[in-house]
Amino acid sequence: MTAMSDIAGLVADARSAIEAADTTEAIRHVAATVSGKKSPLSEASRALGSMDPESKKELGRQLHEARTTVEELLESKRTEIRFTELSAEMAASRLDLTEYVPGSVAGPDQRGHLHLVSQTRDALEDVFIGMGFDVAEGPEIETDWFNFGALNIPPAHPARGMWDTFYLDLGEPETTLLRTHTSPVQIHLMERAVLEGTLPIHSVMPGRCYRRDTPDARHLAVFHQIEGLVVDRGITFADLAGTIETFTSAYFGPDIHSRLRPAYFPFTEPSAEFEVTCAICKGEGCRTCSQTGWIELGGCGMVDPAVFASVGIDSDEWTGFAFGFGIDRCAQMRHQIADMRALIENDIRFLRQF
Ligand code: PHE
């Protein structure tokens, strides 16, 4: 291996071997043969050692050039193969989101729509917006303070038993949890209003809530509430009762009414349970309402001065009322859904009805 023509021949051989390779596997193999330790190029370089200085210099230069050429050819082939293989891979895994499969749910004749719970939330918001409320939202992950403490439910208060709570361990110094009701959003709104000097408040706050309950026909572990909060001067219990009654007939229809029954919540005083005429028997009495003619929708009351104190609102100047009730429960009532679990089973035959 000494002549120049031999080197040119080596490069030509390498070139055609490289050109013929068309997979990553093949190019790896070719690379070993044309430029690896046992390749003719490497052997020629080793043979330089035993040559006279003059021919060694010239041949060495040529071998170096030959090697550079071969390496460049290999590299550009590798790039080409990577590109082809990647394109093939992408083409094979291509998903056509617009593809129409006749008879499938995704067809243009069977478009999806908002879930019944979302529709109900929107309808409830509309009613309250019509009554002059604005709409606010708050986080689903809360600290103990927002979900309980600021709402006049200190640690170990017996009323904590009213809410079976999913606690989170986020490694934070403060206890965090999944909110068990939308009432913590009241605290966020009041804190902000105090900070920004924007009292009064007339807001509703819809959102998802979590309780460590076993789901049954009337309860879900993940459910939705809509909270209401009014903080203004001279607000009385009559304003609360009037708001609830106006809402009830606006949302459920003119023949459905509301009534308030004494109850207990740590964050309202006095507190009441809010019931509406059973939509199924129109108040006559049936199995769904246990023959009472009424269905419980949620809780309400006058904001407890202790809650005002925890957010820095002067309860000599301001009074307010709050309410909270189930959005899923409203959907169930209005559409007479026997078992609320149907709302989360995602049976398309059920969902399509609404
Ligand atoms: N947060 C209460 C619950 O989920 C309901 C409620 C809201 C009661 C506002 C009074 C005032 O049980």
Side-chain angles (χ1 to χ4, degrees), residues 69-333:
T69 310
V70 169
E71 290 304 338
E72 278 170 9
L73 287 170
L74 279 169
E75 197 41 45
S76 82
K77 189 65 177 182
R78 282 195 196 101
T79 309
E80 183 189 317
I81 290 175
R82 255 199 304 272
F83 179 78
T84 322
E85 288 187 345
L86 199 66
S87 307
E89 223 172 85
M90 277 164 46
S93 63
R94 184 169 146 268
L95 180 64
D96 181 1
L97 295 175
T98 64
E99 185 176 20
Y100 172 49
V101 181
S104 75
V105 272
D109 50 333
Q110 290 166 346
R111 292 236 172 82
H113 59 72
L114 288 182
H115 189 280
L116 176 59
V117 173
S118 306
Q119 293 180 36
T120 308
R121 181 203 56 213
D122 290 353
L124 292 169
E125 280 179 16
D126 285 349
V127 171
F128 284 111
I129 288 169
M131 291 167 69
F133 286 79
D134 54 38
V135 180
E137 278 180 25
E140 291 175 25
I141 294 177
E142 283 291 12
T143 58
D144 198 87
W145 165 255
F146 280 100
N147 197 81
F148 292 125
L151 290 162
N152 198 26
I153 321 170
H157 191 287
R160 287 205 176 200
M162 293 167 74
W163 299 275
D164 292 310
T165 310
F166 284 114
Y167 286 94
L168 302 170
D169 184 2
L170 302 179
E172 308 269 334
E174 265 181 286
T175 306
T176 43
L177 45 81
L178 294 175
R179 68 177 177 197
T180 57
H181 50 180
T182 41
S183 299
V185 192
Q186 288 187 35
I187 304 299
H188 289 289
L189 290 194
M190 288 191 278
E191 281 191 344
R192 195 178 319 142
V194 167
L195 202 68
E196 295 174 355
T198 52
L199 284 173
I201 295 170
H202 308 86
S203 300
V204 289
M205 300 142 259
R208 192 179 289 145
C209 305
Y210 304 80
R211 285 189 201 168
R212 237 180 111 171
D213 282 336
T214 309
D216 63 30
R218 285 163 58 80
H219 300 88
L220 300 175
V222 180
F223 61 103
H224 302 79
Q225 281 191 338
I226 186 162
E227 190 84 8
L229 175 68
V230 169
V231 179
D232 209 335
R233 294 184 175 90
I235 296 294
T236 68
F237 199 92
D239 296 310
L240 168 60
T243 302
I244 298 272
E245 176 64 17
T246 306
F247 156 75
T248 302
S249 37
Y251 180 72
F252 290 106
D255 49 349
I256 305 288
H257 296 284
S258 64
R259 72 172 183 180
L260 301 177
R261 305 214 301 159
Y264 170 73
F265 295 101
F267 33 92
T268 45
E269 182 60 35
S271 303
E273 236 163 47
F274 146 30
E275 297 184 335
V276 298
T277 318
C278 176
I280 293 162
C281 61
K282 299 277 185 282
E284 293 292 308
C286 67
R287 272 176 51 206
T288 309
C289 60
S290 314
Q291 309 304 330
T292 63
W294 297 93
I295 294 272
E296 189 204 327
L297 214 55
C300 60
M302 301 305 290
V303 179
D304 194 297
V307 175
F308 279 147
S310 66
V311 294
I313 290 181
D314 178 0
S315 52
D316 286 334
E317 183 180 356
W318 304 94
T319 50
F321 67 75
F323 57 81
F325 57 89
I327 296 178
D328 319 79
R329 187 68 62 80
C330 285
Q332 177 176 39
M333 282 275 304

